[in-house]
Amino acid sequence: MATTPEISVAVREKYEPVIGLEVHVQLLTESKIFCSCSTKFGAPPNTNVCPVCLGLPGALPVLNRRAVEFAVLAAMALKCRVNETSIFARKNYFYPDLPKGYQISQFDKPIAEFGEIEIPVVGEAKSARTKKIGITRLHMEEDAGKSLHDGFPDALDKTGIDLNRSGTPLIEIVSEPEIASPDEAYEYLTRLKEIILYTGVSDCNMEEGSLRCDANVSIRPRGQKELGTKAEIKNVNSFRFIREALIYEIGRQIDVVESGGKITQETRLYNASEGKTYSMRSKEQAHDYRYFPEPDLLPLVVDEKWQARIAETLPELPESRRKRMVADYGITEYDAQILTASKALADQFEAAAKAAKNPKRVANLVQSELAGRLKAKGLEIEGSPISMRGVAISADLVESGAISGKMLKDLYDRCFERGKDFPAVYEEEGRPRQSTDTSALEKIADELIAANPKQVEQYRAGKKTVIGFFVGQLMKASKGQGNPKLINELLEKKLEG
Ligand code: ADP
Ligand code: MG
Ligand code: ZN
């Protein structure tokens, strides 16, 4: 955890953090952005390369149509305005994993601008107010290769270059400096990832580098309009670490200013095991990228017709899906939140709920019976032994009165013990049914009534709620096997005398 410098709350409250995020997302095309090499992850080093992505002299880039469509789809999902014409530009810098000496990116004419992501206002109850974070721009670019520092047993100081990743299509999504806390940054990233996953243009796998984030952060005295000088934290590899790095960095900046110092514009690296950021290079050492339009590529034109075709492939996005599910299934905003955690899960739920007699009961079971058991086992809902179909089947059994709530709980426990889905366990247990045999229940009811004359008297004098006492006793005596509706009816009859 971050060892944030010791700053009192009062001092901290004097300042307001300002955060802007730059997120790189790898597009799931089969081939690279400017050549036909495979983008497959994990191939032996330097096997997916050709003269174009190796940057050999004379090789010419050809733009991958699919990459453009994916970028536009992501832009639309992020509510950006898509520019009909955008320009590729050379971003010049020297680095061993960049064979051409420049990266083809977009600069002053990106493919999309002016989007937004809606995040819940942090610190308020679930499903309360939301806040919109502006997206300045979304542009296309190629990825660089990778420097490999480990795995050379003969020489510890060796560095290898793997150019398989060179030329992999990326989009960069740049936010406005409108994120007001590390928690909001976390929410923004969570939403962004969720939306991109729904579009299917990336797997957003952070371990494989499919989603990478640089965080810009500054502080200013609360109430001041003008932005402070920012530091950019590079290459943090989880959302949790980004939040921690920001917490540390905000504390560090406040410390510097409070002790009379000045923040210098710089790039910093986060060391997750220490929970601290370190200066990597200052503004003076910053790259001058000498951008200019890429002479080997024509301006990219995505006309209205093409945009319309891409728009047709836009799936229902999490936010509107949640709203619709609340309306369609009578579930709460919170239920909808859990059930739309991934597109696959939401699809499964909807298919199951539609097939079930009472969709609301399916949602309730997920919340009340499934969620707790998953948490206890440290499982994500995707890894649940009970499928959404299983939940729907169990819900129907309760709905029809075939099994009781208590029996369902027991069956769910067995599913988790055995790692099996509900229908299988239900079969294994011999399709149990709750008792509808009233003779045994009637006998207990008679005994209860005989043993509690005072309560009977109260009931008959008009205090009808006393029936709850008898229901509870009878349920207990029948070990939860009794059908609650049946028990109620039976007791009413007996108590009415
Ligand atoms: P640079 O040219 O250094 O890359 P940009 O203006 O392109 O800077 O902004 C990069 C990111 O930094 C954006 O997400 C933006 O919102 C954010 N940003 C810009 N200025 C600040 C600031 N003063 N404090 C915090 N974030 C900032
Ligand atoms: Mg930048
Ligand atoms: Zn290639």
Side-chain angles (χ1 to χ4, degrees), residues 308-325:
R309 277 209 307 281
I310 298 168
E312 277 169 23
T313 68
L314 193 66
E316 185 182 24
L317 295 168
E319 203 53 50
S320 46
R321 185 168 201 174
R322 279 194 273 277
K323 291 202 178 97
R324 182 180 57 72
M325 281 170 54

Side-chain angles (χ1 to χ4, degrees), residues 161-442:
I161 305 288
D162 176 8
L163 293 172
N164 282 346
R165 204 179 64 180
S166 167
T168 296
L170 302 177
I171 48 176
E172 179 173 346
I173 300 152
V174 182
S175 87
E176 288 289 306
E178 293 176 347
I179 298 165
S181 68
D183 283 341
E184 279 192 15
Y186 187 91
E187 282 294 337
Y188 172 90
L189 290 168
T190 306
R191 297 291 153 199
L192 173 62
K193 180 176 167 186
E194 185 182 68
I195 292 167
I196 298 290
L197 280 176
Y198 262 69
T199 65
V201 306
S202 174
D203 59 20
C204 296
N205 184 332
M206 288 191 90
E207 279 92 64
E208 295 180 2
S210 303
L211 189 152
R212 309 194 283 270
C213 176
D214 301 331
N216 300 270
V217 55
S218 62
I219 55 164
R220 61 183 171 191
R222 219 163 264 286
Q224 178 183 302
K225 260 226 144 84
E226 199 188 324
L227 294 179
T229 303
K230 72 177 162 87
E232 179 173 4
I233 310 168
K234 281 236 174 255
N235 292 334
V236 191
N237 59 14
S238 80
F239 292 174
R240 194 165 60 84
F241 286 160
I242 287 167
R243 175 162 53 190
E244 287 177 10
L246 285 168
I247 292 171
Y248 172 84
E249 179 59 19
I250 290 162
R252 188 192 68 84
Q253 290 186 13
I254 292 175
D255 225 25
V256 170
V257 173
E258 279 291 309
S259 52
K262 260 190 126 137
I263 304 296
T264 49
Q265 189 170 330
E266 61 183 352
T267 304
R268 299 179 71 86
L269 288 180
Y270 181 62
N271 180 323
S273 54
E274 289 176 43
K276 289 181 179 178
T277 62
Y278 288 97
S279 182
M280 183 173 106
R281 59 171 177 259
S282 70
K283 195 182 179 183
E284 287 71 44
Q285 300 158 287
H287 299 296
D288 171 7
Y289 294 120
R290 297 171 293 121
Y291 281 100
F292 62 88
E294 167 60 59
D296 292 338
L297 287 165
L298 289 169
L300 169 59
V301 178
V302 187
D303 62 16
E304 241 172 82
K305 254 168 91 185
W306 194 9
Q307 286 188 35
R309 277 209 307 281
I310 298 168
E312 277 169 23
T313 68
L314 193 66
E316 185 182 24
L317 295 168
E319 203 53 50
S320 46
R321 185 168 201 174
R322 279 194 273 277
K323 291 202 178 97
R324 182 180 57 72
M325 281 170 54
V326 167
D328 284 4
Y329 305 109
I331 59 177
T332 64
E333 182 77 28
Y334 184 71
D335 289 341
Q337 191 84 35
I338 304 273
L339 290 166
T340 51
S342 79
K343 185 165 181 295
L345 178 68
D347 289 346
Q348 282 169 33
F349 166 75
E350 286 212 72
K354 278 194 189 115
K357 293 194 187 93
N358 180 352
K360 173 77 183 150
R361 190 187 289 279
V362 177
N364 278 344
L365 285 181
V366 171
Q367 281 307 292
S368 58
E369 301 303 334
L370 200 56
R373 286 176 176 79
L374 289 171
K375 201 165 172 211
K377 280 233 166 180
L379 289 171
E380 292 297 321
I381 196 151
E382 283 85 356
S384 170
I386 306 176
S387 67
M388 283 295 145
R389 192 178 144 265
V391 176
I393 289 168
S394 69
D396 278 356
L397 287 170
V398 176
E399 194 71 24
S400 67
I403 63 170
S404 67
K406 168 79 170 57
M407 289 165 74
L408 178 132
K409 284 175 202 282
D410 289 344
L411 287 164
Y412 271 34
D413 284 342
R414 301 221 160 97
C415 290
F416 273 76
E417 280 160 21
R418 298 175 198 171
K420 286 185 180 162
D421 203 351
F422 184 86
V425 169
Y426 187 59
E427 287 299 327
E428 283 174 11
E429 293 298 306
R431 298 172 155 261
R433 298 185 76 82
Q434 68 181 333
S435 164
T436 47
D437 169 16
T438 51
S439 61
L441 289 173
E442 272 190 68

Side-chain angles (χ1 to χ4, degrees), residues 31-36 52 59-65 67 88 104 296-297:
S31 57
K32 295 185 180 179
I33 185 168
F34 300 123
C35 62
S36 56
V52 174
L60 291 174
V62 177
L63 181 58
N64 179 336
R65 193 180 173 85
F88 285 99
I104 303 179
D296 292 338
L297 287 165

